[in-house]
């Protein structure tokens, strides 16, 4: 299997939570450390932060110990602890055997899928019993309201909001232009913790201006710019955090429903570069005067044809344009 449907991810998380009775779920929501201890799992504080996940905890399946950073905020500690409990549930064969077997079908993506199940597991517990909802086509303001109105962590609010995006995209938590957490919906990538965003991005600008709009932005990943254009907005909270809600940009079409050829303008000099070649590293048009956003080498593309809608180079074996989604003839 390639990548699971978001609803399937959520159902797998709910399957793990369903093994708990209501009293234990209530205890885990209000005092995760006590609830985890009641399950026979040892919780220890550590002076270090981070783990193989993007959170401030780690689970050792050999010793059945969850280590949580004492440097993290109380709400982040709670979410991190519940996230690691999700890993423990999956690895406990008597409880998570079905989920573990399901994960095996994703081969090299299994670890990434498990991380998202554990995020959904933690958010499901934090929001259990709460009567909350989000409006359609909500933006960052609605996520901030969700966080301010309840006791769930910022991370849990990101996960809950991402589950209700209604389109491929992600909800991001950042501070000073640096991503602290992201929760994607129907995207195979996420922005890893600690990745600084371009100063022109909505996430960075919101940190300085309070509010910023994103239009066809490609967020910075640990490996470089993403391949997906995103629209949305980002807002600054009173305590200095930025929430961003980003959805995949919609492809413009003409009156016949055919994807329009997208015009490209150099962000530095403003020249029209619609007909220039693509950089095969950062996937941007190469301005003859200014280059592209990528400072690295530009290997010769292995493409044998171009998309008739947007001009993107495509390999012979590809049937759909990576940029605009148009079918290649």
């Amino acid at each position: 299997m390639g990548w699971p449907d978001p609803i399937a991810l959520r159902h797998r998380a709910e399957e793990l939570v369903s093994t708990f009775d209501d009293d234990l779920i209530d205890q885990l929501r209000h005092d995760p450390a006590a609830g985890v201890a009641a399950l026979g799992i040892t919780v220890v504080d550590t002076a270090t932060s981070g783990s193989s996940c993007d959170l401030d905890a780690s689970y050792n399946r050999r010793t059945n110990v969850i280590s949580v950073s004492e440097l993290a905020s109380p709400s982040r500690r709670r979410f991190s602890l519940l996230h690691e409990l999700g890993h423990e549930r999956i690895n406990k064969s008597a409880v998570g055997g079905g989920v573990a077997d399901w994960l095996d079908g994703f081969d090299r993506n299994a670890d990434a899928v498990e991380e998202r199940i554990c995020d959904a597991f933690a958010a499901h517990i934090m929001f259990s019993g709460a009567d909350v909802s989000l409006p359609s086509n909500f933006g960052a303001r609605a996520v901030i309201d969700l966080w301010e109105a309840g006791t769930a962590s910022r991370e849990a609010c990101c996960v809950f909001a991402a589950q209700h995006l209604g389109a491929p995209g992600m909800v991001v938590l950042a501070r000073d232009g640096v991503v602290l957490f992201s929760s994607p919906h129907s995207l195979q990538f996420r922005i890893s913790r600690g990745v600084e965003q371009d100063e022109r991005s909505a996430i960075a600008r919101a940190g300085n201006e309070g509010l910023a709009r994103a239009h066809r932005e490609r967020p910075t990943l640990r490996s470089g710019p993403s391949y997906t254009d995103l629209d949305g907005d980002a807002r600054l909270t009173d305590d200095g955090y930025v929430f961003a809600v980003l959805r995949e940009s919609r492809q413009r079409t003409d009156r016949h429903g055919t994807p329009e050829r997208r015009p490209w303008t150099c962000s530095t000099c403003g020249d029209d570069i619609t007909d220039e070649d693509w950089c095969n590293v950062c996937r941007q048009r190469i301005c003859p005067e200014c280059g592209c956003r990528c400072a690295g080498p530009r290997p010769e593309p292995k493409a044998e044809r171009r998309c008739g809608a947007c001009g993107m180079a495509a390999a012979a074996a590809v049937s759909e344009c990576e940029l605009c989604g148009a079918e290649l003839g």
Side-chain angles (χ1 to χ4, degrees), residues 88-103:
E88 188 272 345
R89 293 285 93 182
I90 292 172
N91 285 287
K92 191 176 179 63
S93 59
V95 176
V99 177
D101 291 342
W102 181 71
L103 284 170

Side-chain angles (χ1 to χ4, degrees), residues 176-306:
D176 299 326
V178 178
V179 170
L180 302 177
F181 182 79
S182 69
S183 183
H185 178 92
S186 291
L187 294 176
Q188 291 196 28
F189 65 87
R190 70 190 301 170
I191 309 176
S192 299
R193 176 186 183 182
V195 176
E196 185 174 4
Q197 297 302 293
D198 187 284
E199 62 181 8
R200 296 167 294 180
S201 71
I203 292 172
R205 287 186 287 115
N208 297 320
E209 303 166 13
L211 169 66
R213 299 288 179 184
H215 177 64
R216 292 192 175 276
E217 285 191 8
R218 295 189 171 192
T220 302
L221 312 181
R222 200 174 297 284
S223 58
S226 76
Y227 293 168
T228 303
D229 291 334
L230 300 174
D231 296 336
D233 72 326
R235 285 180 180 267
L236 182 68
T237 64
D238 292 339
D239 57 351
Y241 290 87
V242 168
F243 284 95
V245 175
L246 305 171
R247 293 180 177 85
E248 198 169 59
S249 302
R250 294 181 178 178
Q251 172 66 26
R252 294 189 294 270
T253 59
D254 61 21
R255 61 191 180 89
H256 302 294
T258 303
E260 292 181 354
R261 182 177 172 84
R262 176 185 171 183
W264 287 80
T265 303
C266 176
S267 59
T268 302
C269 67
D271 287 351
D272 184 349
I273 56 173
T274 302
D275 295 321
E276 300 298 334
D277 290 333
W278 293 88
C279 171
N280 204 41
V281 176
C282 69
R283 303 289 180 168
Q284 298 290 313
R285 297 278 189 183
I286 304 173
C287 175
E289 298 296 328
C290 311
C292 59
R293 292 174 59 183
C294 174
R298 299 180 189 133
E300 288 295 323
K302 298 178 180 179
E304 297 182 10
R305 55 182 173 169
R306 291 183 179 275

Side-chain angles (χ1 to χ4, degrees), residues 62-90:
R62 182 178 59 83
T63 60
N64 204 33
V65 172
I66 295 178
S67 301
V68 187
S69 173
E70 59 188 9
L71 304 177
S73 67
S75 63
R76 189 174 177 91
R77 279 172 56 90
R78 292 198 301 273
F79 184 84
S80 299
L81 183 54
L82 291 174
H83 175 104
E84 297 306 325
L85 177 60
H87 285 298
E88 188 272 345
R89 293 285 93 182
I90 292 172

Side-chain angles (χ1 to χ4, degrees), residues 6-152:
I7 296 176
L9 285 171
R10 191 168 66 197
H11 285 172
R12 291 298 180 176
E14 293 170 354
E15 181 182 333
L16 296 175
V17 177
S18 68
T19 62
F20 301 144
D21 60 38
D22 291 343
D23 289 340
L24 180 56
I25 292 174
D26 189 63
Q27 185 177 35
L28 287 168
R29 183 171 67 252
H30 293 98
D31 189 355
V36 169
L39 290 168
I41 304 166
T42 303
V43 179
V44 298
D45 289 334
T46 176
T48 59
S49 62
S51 68
S52 58
C53 309
D54 275 0
L55 295 167
D56 289 279
S58 60
Y59 169 63
N60 187 320
R61 69 176 70 184
R62 182 178 59 83
T63 60
N64 204 33
V65 172
I66 295 178
S67 301
V68 187
S69 173
E70 59 188 9
L71 304 177
S73 67
S75 63
R76 189 174 177 91
R77 279 172 56 90
R78 292 198 301 273
F79 184 84
S80 299
L81 183 54
L82 291 174
H83 175 104
E84 297 306 325
L85 177 60
H87 285 298
E88 188 272 345
R89 293 285 93 182
I90 292 172
N91 285 287
K92 191 176 179 63
S93 59
V95 176
V99 177
D101 291 342
W102 181 71
L103 284 170
D104 287 341
F106 292 98
D107 300 322
R108 61 187 179 87
N109 291 325
D111 289 344
V113 175
E114 181 172 338
E115 291 300 322
R116 298 195 190 183
I117 291 176
C118 292
D119 282 347
F121 172 88
H124 186 67
I125 291 176
M126 282 194 159
F127 280 100
S128 60
D131 183 17
V132 294
S133 62
L134 289 166
S136 60
N137 298 318
F138 64 88
R141 177 72 262 175
V143 185
I144 294 174
D145 291 342
L146 178 67
W147 171 64
E148 291 178 341
T151 59

